[in-house]
Every structure is written in structure tokens, then in C-alpha cells.
Amino acid sequence: MSAYPQALPDGYAFPPYLIGAESADKWWWCSQIDAAWEAYFRREDETEALGYLRAAADVDPGSYGRYDQADDALPLNEKVDRDVRFIGGGVDSQYVEYTAHGCWKWAKSVGAEFPPVS
């Protein structure tokens, strides 16, 4: 998938067995959320985190199936909430924390995981 039209965050790569454009969109979007988590919580760089969140806000990757935010049976930290939120133009840390965890759960369900492969 080296010809994917939107760059992944530095250090992220598509798993070699990921199939189809829909899966690529989902992987790309969750990579942005995971990179925002890494920037905000590990490096304490809100500006970098906002860049990833703004990129994700401009794309709807489609439903994550059972991990979608519409599934009220799931705990908040197991959902992939595609409605990117900010607080006063800054990072909504709760949104990033919960959605990154939901992305991690989704990635595990497709046989991959974040942090990324290189």
C-alpha cells in the first residue's frame, strides 16, 4: 500500500496484510489518533497532537463495526468515536485517550497493533 494518497504519521506503516481501501482509510485515521495520543501524553506536545487531530477531523473513514461510537453496549474507552472533538481550540484529552484506546482495540481485532510497525 505504498501508494496510499495520505501520508501516515512518522514511524507508522500499514500492516502488510491489510486489504482494501476501506481498511486503509480506517488504519490511516486511527494512526492519526494514536499519533495524537503519543504527542500529547508521551511528548507533551499539544501543537503536534492538534495537527494529527485536525487531519483526522477532515476524514470520515467509515464505520468501525462493533467498535463504532453508535454501539451503546461498549464502554466509552472501547469505542472509535469518529467525531473529533476539541476544547477551546485545544486538545480534548479525554477524547484522545478514549478514542486512541478504541483504535487500539480495533487494530488488535484486525491482527495488528499500535504503536505502529516500522
Side-chain angles (χ1 to χ4, degrees):
M1 291 202 185
S2 60
Y4 192 72
Q6 299 183 61
L8 289 167
D10 286 344
Y12 286 70
F14 289 107
Y17 47 81
L18 197 65
I19 298 171
E22 183 177 315
S23 293
D25 287 345
K26 289 174 180 24
W27 188 266
W28 178 88
W29 193 90
C30 271
S31 293
Q32 302 302 314
I33 300 299
D34 189 70
W37 188 95
E38 292 285 334
Y40 190 77
F41 289 105
R42 289 202 196 270
R43 294 188 295 277
E44 298 181 355
D45 187 337
E46 184 170 17
T47 301
E48 182 184 0
L50 283 170
Y52 296 123
L53 292 172
R54 287 183 184 121
D58 290 338
V59 174
D60 184 353
S63 175
Y64 281 83
R66 72 180 206 91
Y67 296 98
D68 213 39
Q69 70 268 24
D71 186 348
D72 291 332
L74 287 175
L76 189 59
N77 69 345
E78 292 186 16
K79 296 180 184 183
V80 177
D81 185 347
R82 299 184 329 252
D83 184 19
V84 179
R85 289 189 298 282
F86 303 91
I87 294 179
V91 170
D92 178 339
S93 61
Q94 184 176 5
Y95 169 81
V96 172
E97 184 173 1
Y98 287 153
T99 302
H101 193 265
C103 280
W104 181 82
K105 294 284 249 180
W106 170 79
K108 293 291 273 184
S109 77
V110 297
E113 66 181 77
F114 296 112
V117 294
S118 55

